[in-house]
Amino acid sequence: MFELSELWFVLVGVLFVGFFFLEGFDFGVGMSTAFLARSDGERRVMINSIGPFWDANEVWLLTAGGAMFAAFPHWYATMFSGFYVPLVVVLLALIGRGVAFEFRGKGETEAWKKTWDIVILLGSLLPPFLFGVVFANLMQGLPIDQQMEMHAGIFDVVNVYTVLGGVAVTVLCLVHGLMFLSLRTVGELRERARAQAKMLLIPLAVLFVAFAAMTVWKTDMFEARGVVLSIMGLLGVVAFVLAGYFMSKKKDGWAFGMTGTVIALAIAGVFVGLFPNIMISTIDQTFNLTVYNAASGTYSLKVMTIVALSLLPFVLAYQIWSYFVFHKRVHEKEHLEY
Amino acid sequence: MDTVMLSRLQFASTTIFHFIFVPLSIGLALILAIMQTMYVVKGDERYKTMTKFWGKLFLINFAVGVVTGIIQEFQFGMNWSDYSRFVGDVFGAPLAIEALAAFFLESTFIGLWIFGWDRLSKKVHLACIWLVAFGTTLSAFWILAANSFMQRPVGFEVVNGRAEMNDFFALITNGQLLVEFPHTIFSAFATGAFLIAGISAWKLLKKQDTDFFKKSFHVSIIVALLSSVLVALFGHQQAQYLVHTQPMKMAAAEGLWENSGDPAAWTVWAAIDPEKQESTKEFKIPYALSFLSYSKFSGEVVGMKQLQSEYEATYGEGNYIPPVRTTFWSFRIMVACGTLMIVLAAYGWYLSARKKLDQKHTWFYRLMVAAIFMPIVANTAGWIMTEIGRQPWTVFGLLRTEDSVSPSVTSGEVLFSLISFTTIYTILAVVLVYLFLKVIKRGPNAVVEKTEKITSDPFAKEGLHV
């Protein structure tokens, strides 16, 4: 039998996978408003393509945070206080981005739109990058003391490995977002989105290989869980290659599914590699936060399990339904809400 | 300033700011749902225009409410990590459930509502706004369940120096929650209602779209009146509850150093000196505090000095008296605003129901415009009383504020975040007011014109069928 805290580790992992899969593409679309769009009309199409979804996608992050708080209070406390400054920047970025979508279309002047465009770009670029850095740090280990307090200086958290992780996540989100765009738009914009995604595949592959190599070198994840991680890695390579193949065949739906699979495998890989640790101490292994010493009591986990398992099917059902309602492609000539 | 003080300042300012928009969202969602129901049931296009016009303000406000809420969920861990470690087991659960049950609901269905006007059937689309309204209310329930635990901890035991949940049912039937939730939710309804009523009054003052704004005023003033009265009733319930569970907060809210004597008089005004521990120049209403505390005209209320020695016996040495002036005056500001709201809403309802809303009442219109801010001030004052009055505790009787803060976060870091958040919030506030005024100035016709323009667009048909 498994323990409830193990189940919750899986659930938090699922929530983060959901977050990166869903918010990942709207981060990518947000970046594309700067890198791909050629006109205000195209920019509006892009924003409207994620219009009905981005808010609910972001809730996956809030729920993941809430689940950490409830199921692993020590994890939530150590990580959120330990990464204080990066999280402040993430929050500022998410705040700006959220209102920018709503505010951008409500003014007429060029300066007004330009301002919010910059906010959308930064708001879509910084969070995936910083989350990538944070996740790479979780894998690499952090100076955590006996009281589970993390006292990290800037050079503990910023190094080649973690920055590489940040860049990889950012580019991955961008590719995923571009595929979402080619799935949700028409005509020339659709073609350009796909072409740019394809062009980015090689650099992304390089980033991945470099990051994987450094992971083998810097962490003991492969020693501990080599078989599972290798299988996941292999599946990731297959999905990656298939993504490229489907892009060439102009099968956007399949290609989007594959970039999503790569994201899911990458994030799931972090959790598989960490288990049973959730935060690794570089000071002393016995200071590690684990699934067992950071968890809430059994009663609390039981309640949370019942609540989560009874609510999650409904949440998934209506979220999937909302994607079904807005399955039609967005067109510049139609009425655009944003 | 030290980390504790800076963290408190940040929590207070971000929460107060967030809670300007949250009640507005809750209240406006309900009123929009009512308006849209009238449109669907009566088939009257004017109600559709109403829903769309007020919907614009609602969405601007909703966006700010949502984004400022993200900080709220993160900053427990960021700034109050020792608090999070101590209560996560109990406090984290309602927060996680809030996200899972309420945030998903409101965020998904608000998307469906904004973009679904032409893609969903009238009834399904109407269901979307009701689900948004339900989601916002549900969200309030869960976050208040968490807050109620801080006021009156129940359903837990302390194991290895941490509070662990042992009775979830006790947590969600916490007596504190049962009075705090209705009090807060009706004040939120009132906040939304006074915004619509106030803006309508402004437009009536300017004689623009008078039919539209008379109708809007009518719908909102009914909500305003009902909820203002209910806020007061549940407020009274809460005060009685407070006397039993947090007598120190009540005593501080009354500036009551010594025991009141029986019957207890209510202090309207006093000069409070926390140094000398005395209140002077008091103006009192006899019997009123007994009524406030026990719903009868007799009964003594215990003063702070006696409570301080009782608390010292229970919790050890320390100062258990909260900042008295703040607690005292925030309570009075809240009550004064609440009372004025009832009076204004009653008179407004009378005028509206008797079809007497005309140009003779410009003074009343002006008052109603000013009254937009009354519920906001009352909400803020109410929360200041609740949270400041609980000091020195974060969780009453269990954990002190000074022991709750993150040990690994430096005061420089908190100063950085405090300045950043304050700056971005100030910008948000300015932009929000600018956009509000813009939408209001354009009036309801802008909404209608836009709809017509789409149908006359030669490409519209093509666009919708790609």
Side-chain angles (χ1 to χ4, degrees), chain A residues 257-335:
Chain A
M258 287 304 129
T259 53
T261 308
V262 174
I263 291 184
L265 284 167
I267 302 301
V270 176
F271 282 79
V272 169
L274 281 173
F275 186 86
N277 296 312
I278 43 186
M279 286 188 91
I280 299 163
S281 170
T282 48
I283 299 174
D284 189 326
Q285 214 177 310
T286 54
F287 301 162
N288 285 1
L289 272 72
T290 70
V291 170
Y292 311 105
N293 73 10
S296 286
T298 318
Y299 178 86
S300 190
L301 291 175
K302 227 181 257 176
V303 170
M304 289 297 300
T305 307
I306 296 167
V307 173
L309 294 183
S310 30
L311 284 174
L312 212 55
F314 291 99
V315 171
L316 287 174
Y318 62 65
Q319 256 200 321
I320 291 170
W321 179 63
S322 84
Y323 280 89
F324 174 77
V325 170
F326 303 110
H327 69 277
K328 277 182 188 150
R329 291 173 186 275
V330 184
H331 197 284
E332 225 175 296
K333 297 277 159 49
E334 74 179 313
H335 163 66

Side-chain angles (χ1 to χ4, degrees), chain A residues 45 82 132 164 175 304:
Chain A
V45 165
L164 198 59
V175 172
M304 289 297 300

Side-chain angles (χ1 to χ4, degrees), chain A residues 62 76 84 108 297 299-300, chain B residues 73 79 89 168 417 438 442:
Chain A
L62 294 183
Y76 172 74
Y84 192 83
E108 284 78 26
Y299 178 86
S300 190
Chain B
E73 207 201 350
N79 294 83
D89 209 301
F168 180 67
S417 60
K438 200 168 162 176
R442 279 187 187 165

Side-chain angles (χ1 to χ4, degrees), chain A residues 56 58 62-63 66 74 76 78 80-81 84 106 108 148-150 186 296-297 299-300 318 326 333-334, chain B residues 70 73 76-79 85 89 92 104-105 107 114-115 119 165 167-168 407-408 417 435 438 442 457 466:
Chain A
E58 205 156 293
L62 294 183
T63 311
H74 289 300
Y76 172 74
T78 305
F80 280 51
S81 62
Y84 192 83
K106 299 222 157 30
E108 284 78 26
M148 296 185 167
E149 296 297 341
M150 170 180 151
V186 291
S296 286
Y299 178 86
S300 190
Y318 62 65
F326 303 110
K333 297 277 159 49
E334 74 179 313
Chain B
I70 313 173
E73 207 201 350
F76 293 110
M78 290 168 68
N79 294 83
R85 288 181 208 283
D89 209 301
F104 271 125
L105 195 70
S107 61
I114 301 171
F115 290 87
R119 301 200 184 169
M165 196 200 297
D167 189 349
F168 180 67
S408 64
S417 60
L435 288 176
K438 200 168 162 176
R442 279 187 187 165
D457 182 347
V466 177

Side-chain angles (χ1 to χ4, degrees), chain A:
Chain A
M1 261 311 276
F2 58 86
E3 284 187 34
L4 278 180
S5 58
E6 296 170 354
L7 173 72
W8 272 91
F9 182 71
V10 175
L11 280 177
V12 172
V14 168
L15 289 166
F16 271 109
V17 167
F19 167 67
F20 281 103
F21 184 101
L22 295 167
E23 185 97 323
F25 74 69
D26 62 55
F27 283 146
V29 172
M31 289 182 244
S32 301
T33 57
F35 301 145
L36 185 72
R38 284 180 182 163
S39 64
D40 183 55
E42 286 191 353
R43 230 160 256 136
R44 290 186 62 199
V45 165
M46 289 179 182
I47 296 168
N48 277 277
S49 78
I50 53 167
F53 310 126
W54 72 266
D55 188 6
N57 293 348
E58 205 156 293
V59 174
W60 285 80
L61 173 68
L62 294 183
T63 311
M68 282 168 71
F69 196 174
F72 302 102
H74 289 300
W75 187 12
Y76 172 74
T78 305
M79 186 165 142
F80 280 51
S81 62
F83 289 108
Y84 192 83
V85 174
L87 285 179
V88 170
V89 178
V90 166
L91 287 171
L92 294 171
L94 291 179
I95 290 173
R97 187 177 112 97
V99 292
F101 290 139
E102 178 67 31
F103 290 174
R104 186 187 185 276
K106 299 222 157 30
E108 284 78 26
T109 63
E110 275 305 304
W112 174 270
K113 286 184 175 169
K114 280 258 159 58
T115 309
W116 294 112
D117 284 341
I118 294 168
V119 177
I120 290 175
L121 171 64
L122 290 176
S124 306
L125 190 76
L126 289 173
F129 174 72
L130 289 168
F131 277 121
V133 171
V134 168
F135 270 72
N137 268 298
L138 291 183
M139 295 160 73
Q140 162 191 271
L142 291 151
I144 294 168
D145 67 15
Q146 203 165 0
Q147 275 74 46
M148 296 185 167
E149 296 297 341
M150 170 180 151
H151 298 277
I154 183 147
F155 296 108
D156 291 311
V157 292
V158 181
N159 53 45
V160 177
Y161 180 64
T162 57
V163 171
L164 198 59
V167 176
V169 172
T170 312
V171 177
L172 182 56
C173 287
L174 178 56
V175 172
H176 192 45
L178 286 165
M179 283 327 293
F180 182 79
L181 276 178
S182 69
L183 196 59
R184 288 273 289 149
T185 57
V186 291
E188 194 243 350
L189 178 60
R190 179 184 176 187
E191 300 296 326
R192 269 198 353 258
R194 195 192 303 112
Q196 199 178 77
K198 227 175 121 188
M199 199 188 74
L200 284 168
L201 282 181
I202 303 285
L204 183 59
V206 172
L207 285 167
F208 270 145
V209 170
F211 187 74
M214 282 193 86
T215 305
V216 175
W217 171 53
K218 286 199 78 155
T219 74
D220 59 359
M221 283 183 167
F222 278 89
E223 285 152 47
R225 234 166 288 281
V227 182
V228 189
L229 284 179
S230 304
I231 294 173
M232 291 177 79
L234 211 63
L235 287 173
V237 172
V238 172
F240 196 96
V241 172
L242 279 175
Y245 170 77
F246 287 127
M247 283 176 201
S248 322
K249 293 280 164 201
K250 302 194 174 181
K251 296 202 164 171
D252 297 332
W254 285 99
F256 175 73
M258 287 304 129
T259 53
T261 308
V262 174
I263 291 184
L265 284 167
I267 302 301
V270 176
F271 282 79
V272 169
L274 281 173
F275 186 86
N277 296 312
I278 43 186
M279 286 188 91
I280 299 163
S281 170
T282 48
I283 299 174
D284 189 326
Q285 214 177 310
T286 54
F287 301 162
N288 285 1
L289 272 72
T290 70
V291 170
Y292 311 105
N293 73 10
S296 286
T298 318
Y299 178 86
S300 190
L301 291 175
K302 227 181 257 176
V303 170
M304 289 297 300
T305 307
I306 296 167
V307 173
L309 294 183
S310 30
L311 284 174
L312 212 55
F314 291 99
V315 171
L316 287 174
Y318 62 65
Q319 256 200 321
I320 291 170
W321 179 63
S322 84
Y323 280 89
F324 174 77
V325 170
F326 303 110
H327 69 277
K328 277 182 188 150
R329 291 173 186 275
V330 184
H331 197 284
E332 225 175 296
K333 297 277 159 49
E334 74 179 313
H335 163 66
L336 295 175
E337 203 64 46
Y338 286 147

